[in-house]
Structure formats: structure tokens, C-alpha cells
Amino acid sequence: DVPVQRHAEYYECCPEEYQDLTFTIHIRRRTLYYGFNIVIPCVLISSLTLLLFILPPDAGEKISLGVTILLSLMVFLLLVAETMPPTSDAVPLIGIYFVCIMVMCSMSIIFTVGVLNFHYRTPDTHMMPYWIKHLICGWLAWGLRMRRPGGANSKKALLQRSQVKDYKLAPLEEKSRSLMANVLDTDDDPRTMANNGSGGFFKMDDSCSTTLTSNGGCVTSLGPALGSPIASTTMRHDITSILRELKKITCKFRKEEEQEDAKNDWKFAAMVMDRLFFIICFVFTMGSTIAILASAPHLIT
């Protein structure tokens, strides 16, 4: 625009009127070039930052994607710095927009590092504090409408999940101890007899094992009889060894299940934090984009 103003003044020396015209030249750049070549690619690249929180942590590409997006924004910022006049009196809106997007991208990388730290924690290195289980896995998960597969979508169910596990283990341990005591205290000393197919019978005494045939003969087997004290002691020892091994196997499987549950708790906490950071970055990106671009005086023309 080139507006003009007319001024007329009289001086004491001269009776005639002196006139002057003041032209003001307003120069601005067209926004189509910057919007098509800089703003739209920047908006698309900044929207890719939200994919950091959708990509699964097990993929192993969350940090790489975030750093790649940040480097792309740096390239666009250098391009904007070259096309803009070097001045420190005012900062252009497009420069403010790029700075906001870069801050958001940097924060998203920091958030992603925190999510990965929670996702790969194990019971061998970290014990989940009570406030994480109560605040993140309980209240925050309920507020974000998140639930585990097969779990109830309620805050109370998420908080009582660990207590239910203890209630289930207590009766099993009592039954196991009762069964162990009953087997070990059983008297394996009774004498057994059984009829054979031809009318004879099988008899076991304390010293030997004798088989009486139908014609009056007998056959005596060497070694301890099945009902002798030596055989009873051997049987008790074998049963004790079997129960001891079964107890070791049961404890091993129970420990593995507890470790797996603890890992799943950390992974679920990472999922909740991922959802929370996604909402924060989405609101910040949309808010900054709409606020800065809408404040431009000539956005289209």
C-alpha cells in the first residue's frame, strides 16, 4: 500500500502557501510462498511427532523417529532464518511457530525416554512404589479410560488387583502344607495280602517276601519285603524327595508368575504415561498452531 498525505503551511517571510505531499510505502511479503513451502510441511512434520506415543515401545524406533523429526525441523528453521531479514528488533510469527514446535518435539523425546524407562523395568532392578501403583495404574488409568485386557474398567478393580492375588495364594499354601503333613505322617506299615488266580495268596512279613502256591510249595524272595520297616522308610524317603522337588518347582513357577506380573505392572504404567503425554502434546501442538497462524494479519493473501 502507498497512502499519501497533503500538508499546507504558511511562513512569515512569504505570503503564499507552501504545500508538500508525504508518501508512505508499506511493503509486505506474500504468504502463499511461505505457507506452501514452509508452514504446511512444518505442520505435517509436527503432526508426525504424535506418532511417537502411538508406536509400541517394543518396536525400538521411538527415539530414532523423534530425533529424525527434530532434525527435520532444524533444517526448516535454517531455511526460514536464511530467507528472513537479520534483525533483533522483532521476531516473525513463523519463527515463533518453529520455536514452539521444536520445543514440543524436544519435550516429546524426553517423555518418550521416560516411557521407555518404565516399560523396560524389571523386578530385579526396580520395585514399583505404592504411589505409582495407586496414582498411575489406578487413578490416572481410570481417568483416561484405560484398562488391562480382561480387567474391569474401574478404579477400584485396578487398585485391588494386587490384593486379590494374595487372597488366592493363601488357601493354596495352606492346602499344600496340609497335604505335606498328611503324607509325611502316614503310617506305611500295614501288612497286605492278596489272593492269586489259582487259589493261592501273597503274604508279606517283616523278614522276607514268601509266595505260597496251591500245591503247598513256597518260594521265598531275597531282599526286604514290601511291608518291612526298611521298605517303609525307603518309601517315606522317596515321597519326601518327590514332595521337596514338587515344592521347588512350584516355588519357581510362582516366582516367575510374580515377576511376570510385576513386569506387566510396569508396562501398564508406561502405557498410561504414553496416553497422558500423547494428550498433552496433541493439545499443545494444536493450540500453538491455531494461535500463531490465526494471529497472522494476512494468512491467505
Side-chain angles (χ1 to χ4, degrees), residues 161-181:
R161 185 174 183 272
S162 59
Q163 299 177 0
V164 172
K165 187 193 305 180
D166 297 335
Y167 293 150
K168 290 181 178 179
L169 289 179
L172 293 177
E173 293 178 354
E174 293 178 358
K175 292 180 180 179
S176 178
R177 288 193 294 267
S178 177
L179 179 62
M180 179 78 70

Side-chain angles (χ1 to χ4, degrees), residues 136-212:
I136 297 179
C137 298
W139 290 90
L140 190 58
W142 177 78
L144 296 176
R145 315 304 296 174
M146 297 180 63
R147 63 178 180 178
R148 296 187 181 184
N153 189 15
S154 63
K155 169 171 57 63
K156 185 177 180 180
L158 291 173
L159 292 177
Q160 294 180 351
R161 185 174 183 272
S162 59
Q163 299 177 0
V164 172
K165 187 193 305 180
D166 297 335
Y167 293 150
K168 290 181 178 179
L169 289 179
L172 293 177
E173 293 178 354
E174 293 178 358
K175 292 180 180 179
S176 178
R177 288 193 294 267
S178 177
L179 179 62
M180 179 78 70
N182 291 333
V183 173
L184 292 180
D185 294 339
T186 302
D187 188 8
D188 295 326
D189 215 12
R191 310 295 175 86
T192 59
M193 293 183 179
N195 295 329
N196 56 8
S198 58
F201 60 90
F202 181 76
K203 179 181 179 182
M204 292 175 291
D205 55 9
D206 293 339
S207 59
C208 65
S209 176
T210 304
T211 303
L212 299 179

Side-chain angles (χ1 to χ4, degrees), residues 264-294:
N264 293 331
D265 291 338
W266 283 112
K267 291 181 180 180
F268 183 70
M271 290 175 58
V272 175
M273 293 177 60
D274 220 1
R275 179 72 62 85
L276 176 64
F277 295 150
F278 171 78
I279 295 175
I280 293 174
C281 291
F282 178 78
V283 172
F284 182 80
T285 302
M286 296 299 296
S288 60
T289 301
I290 294 174
I292 294 176
L293 296 183

Side-chain angles (χ1 to χ4, degrees), residues 2-292:
V2 186
V4 60
Q5 293 181 355
R6 178 181 176 275
H7 299 278
E9 294 188 6
Y10 293 91
Y11 297 96
E12 296 180 356
C13 63
C14 305
E16 64 271 9
E17 180 184 7
Y18 286 88
Q19 300 178 1
D20 65 90
L21 300 176
T22 302
F23 292 88
T24 304
I25 303 175
H26 296 278
I27 301 175
R28 71 173 180 88
R29 297 189 177 191
R30 296 288 183 178
T31 58
L32 182 60
Y33 171 80
Y34 298 97
F36 187 77
N37 294 297
I38 296 178
V39 175
I40 293 178
C42 179
V43 172
L44 295 177
I45 292 175
S46 62
S47 62
L48 293 178
T49 309
L50 302 176
L51 296 178
L52 288 176
F53 306 103
I54 302 177
L55 190 67
D58 294 330
E61 298 293 336
K62 293 173 74 71
I63 301 297
S64 301
L65 180 60
V67 173
T68 303
I69 294 173
L70 184 60
L71 292 177
S72 302
L73 292 175
M74 288 291 295
V75 172
F76 276 97
L77 182 60
L78 293 176
L79 180 61
V80 171
E82 291 179 356
T83 57
M84 290 296 173
T87 178
S88 298
D89 296 334
V91 180
L93 288 176
I94 191 171
I96 297 175
Y97 176 67
F98 268 90
V99 170
C100 292
I101 295 302
M102 289 181 62
V103 169
M104 189 273 298
C105 186
S106 302
M107 293 300 296
S108 65
I109 294 176
I110 296 175
F111 292 156
T112 303
V113 171
V115 170
L116 292 177
N117 188 9
F118 271 53
H119 182 78
Y120 287 105
R121 285 187 178 185
T122 59
D124 298 333
T125 57
H126 296 84
M127 294 297 296
M128 178 173 286
Y130 176 77
W131 67 270
I132 293 180
K133 184 177 295 185
H134 181 75
L135 181 62
I136 297 179
C137 298
W139 290 90
L140 190 58
W142 177 78
L144 296 176
R145 315 304 296 174
M146 297 180 63
R147 63 178 180 178
R148 296 187 181 184
N153 189 15
S154 63
K155 169 171 57 63
K156 185 177 180 180
L158 291 173
L159 292 177
Q160 294 180 351
R161 185 174 183 272
S162 59
Q163 299 177 0
V164 172
K165 187 193 305 180
D166 297 335
Y167 293 150
K168 290 181 178 179
L169 289 179
L172 293 177
E173 293 178 354
E174 293 178 358
K175 292 180 180 179
S176 178
R177 288 193 294 267
S178 177
L179 179 62
M180 179 78 70
N182 291 333
V183 173
L184 292 180
D185 294 339
T186 302
D187 188 8
D188 295 326
D189 215 12
R191 310 295 175 86
T192 59
M193 293 183 179
N195 295 329
N196 56 8
S198 58
F201 60 90
F202 181 76
K203 179 181 179 182
M204 292 175 291
D205 55 9
D206 293 339
S207 59
C208 65
S209 176
T210 304
T211 303
L212 299 179
T213 60
S214 58
N215 55 4
C218 65
V219 178
T220 303
S221 60
L222 299 177
L226 191 59
S228 64
I230 299 177
S232 177
T233 304
T234 304
M235 184 180 297
R236 289 171 60 86
H237 181 268
D238 293 339
I239 293 176
T240 304
S241 301
I242 293 173
L243 291 176
R244 188 182 298 112
E245 294 299 327
L246 289 176
K247 185 177 181 180
K248 290 181 180 179
I249 296 173
T250 304
C251 292
K252 180 179 179 181
F253 279 105
R254 184 177 300 171
K255 184 177 180 181
E256 290 178 355
E257 290 178 357
E258 292 177 354
Q259 292 180 352
E260 190 67 24
D261 291 338
K263 290 180 181 179
N264 293 331
D265 291 338
W266 283 112
K267 291 181 180 180
F268 183 70
M271 290 175 58
V272 175
M273 293 177 60
D274 220 1
R275 179 72 62 85
L276 176 64
F277 295 150
F278 171 78
I279 295 175
I280 293 174
C281 291
F282 178 78
V283 172
F284 182 80
T285 302
M286 296 299 296
S288 60
T289 301
I290 294 174
I292 294 176

